[in-house]
Amino acid sequence: MKIRQDRLAINPLQWVASAEGWIDPALAPPLDRQLSVIRDAGITALHSAVPGDMTPEAYAARLADHGIAPAPGYIPVRLTEDAAARQTYRDAAARVAEQHAALGVPVVFLAMGMAKDAERVARPAVGHAARRDRLEEVRDLLAEIAGIIRAEGITPAFHPHVGTWAETEEETRFILDTVDASLLAFGPDMGHLAWAGADAAGLVRDYADRVASVHIKDLDLGLAARAREEAWDYRTTVRAGLWSEPGHGNADIDGFVDALPDGFDGWLIIEVDRGARDTPEDSVRLCGEWAAAYV
């Protein structure tokens, strides 16, 4: 399947991948530096993340100065009994959705978030400590936050993520089957689903009418299987070389893309959580080379 160039984007996590296998936004270089590298790689859209010191309008103008358009961003939430913390998640979801509306981006990914000391970060990708009552709490939280996002005119797309309480194929299907499609769309990440042993392309086919945008990742499937079998933790798996630039691992990206419904007009957002190249700049360049083959 060929994809419109303006629907291929990047979330440049290469720059914020820490040595310990985590994501640290403090590592990011200045926005203009990132945009220059992304533009030179031939990528014309960027995962939206409005900096705290910028308005959406100023952010859009800065992207436009580099010939780059905004693409769907990301909202993480966590289960909590703390009322103030839960309100913080509500407020953040409303703010990000409002920013997306100002940017003219109609979709945002919605996921359960990770914490460094979380049980599933210590034992990821196998549905560790799964419980139906907790999964129902996850479903209810996602539905609540989805309603807040919808109120701003934005479509929330559920994004399963390893290391959270919504990571496996079974959990993905439960959430999609028990939250109305008019409230919650689907935004699968092929890499996280594959790490958890799920059939990402099959999920896309089964929920084709709900797929709003997707994340493209490549990975070492053999390493992922070994990590599950040997109970590696999240960061050990990442540091061992799980992720790679598209076309440099052995995930079935073509099969995943071909499973998208006819006429699909959502975004394909490339993510390399920890690049296999010497520098983030080299990693982004290789992502651009892969993207050029799909337009």
Side-chain angles (χ1 to χ4, degrees):
M1 175 188 287
K2 290 293 184 181
I3 301 296
R4 290 165 43 188
Q5 184 173 12
D6 64 349
R7 286 295 187 263
L8 272 165
I10 190 169
N11 181 9
L13 296 177
Q14 294 94 328
W15 275 297
V16 295
S18 73
E20 65 171 355
W22 205 250
I23 297 298
D24 181 1
L27 298 174
L31 179 60
D32 284 320
R33 170 61 180 158
Q34 297 180 59
L35 296 176
S36 294
V37 173
I38 291 166
R39 176 201 61 209
D40 291 347
I43 299 172
T44 60
L46 176 71
H47 159 103
S48 293
V50 179
D53 60 351
M54 295 182 74
T55 65
E57 293 76 16
Y59 178 70
R62 185 73 61 83
L63 267 60
D65 287 344
H66 292 269
I68 293 173
Y74 191 83
I75 296 173
V77 296
R78 295 181 194 163
L79 289 177
T80 177
E81 298 296 324
D82 184 276
R86 188 144 179 165
Q87 188 59 47
T88 297
Y89 290 129
R90 295 188 187 105
D91 293 344
R95 181 179 68 255
V96 173
E98 184 179 4
Q99 291 171 344
H100 275 59
L103 292 170
V105 178
V107 174
V108 68
F109 293 93
L110 174 60
M112 297 302 294
M114 292 194 301
K116 288 186 178 181
D117 59 351
E119 287 183 64
R120 284 195 174 180
V121 170
R123 186 70 176 93
V126 294
H128 171 72
R131 290 202 332 251
R132 175 62 177 256
D133 62 332
R134 180 164 47 215
L135 184 56
E136 290 172 349
E137 290 179 26
V138 167
R139 183 266 319 277
D140 293 346
L141 174 60
L142 290 171
E144 178 190 5
I145 300 300
I148 292 169
I149 296 167
R150 286 279 184 184
E152 299 293 337
I154 303 301
T155 297
F158 168 53
H159 180 285
H161 196 292
V162 167
T164 76
W165 295 122
E167 67 176 7
T168 67
E169 179 166 344
E170 181 181 11
E171 290 162 348
T172 298
R173 290 183 180 276
F174 176 83
I175 289 165
L176 292 173
D177 289 345
T178 59
V179 180
D180 195 272
S182 64
L183 181 61
L184 187 63
F186 188 26
D189 180 313
M190 61 166 290
H192 276 278
L193 287 166
W195 182 2
D199 178 2
L203 282 164
V204 165
R205 285 189 291 269
D206 289 348
Y207 297 94
D209 59 341
R210 296 176 72 168
V211 178
S213 286
V214 302
H215 281 183
I216 297 291
K217 280 189 173 72
D218 209 343
L219 68 157
D220 183 331
L221 293 173
L223 188 148
R226 180 184 174 193
R228 292 194 304 269
E229 292 165 3
E230 298 184 8
W232 296 359
D233 66 23
Y234 191 102
R235 283 167 283 184
T236 296
T237 308
V238 170
R239 290 197 306 267
L242 177 70
W243 304 118
S244 62
E245 291 72 21
H248 293 265
N250 57 11
D252 186 9
I253 297 177
D254 289 344
F256 180 78
V257 173
D258 287 344
L260 293 169
D262 292 340
F264 176 75
D265 65 352
W267 280 266
L268 275 70
I269 301 179
I270 303 165
E271 284 189 338
V272 183
D273 293 41
R274 183 181 176 86
R277 305 304 110 186
D278 290 337
T279 69
E281 290 77 11
D282 287 340
S283 179
V284 171
R285 176 181 55 79
L286 288 176
C287 291
E289 291 175 2
W290 175 85
Y294 268 86
V295 298

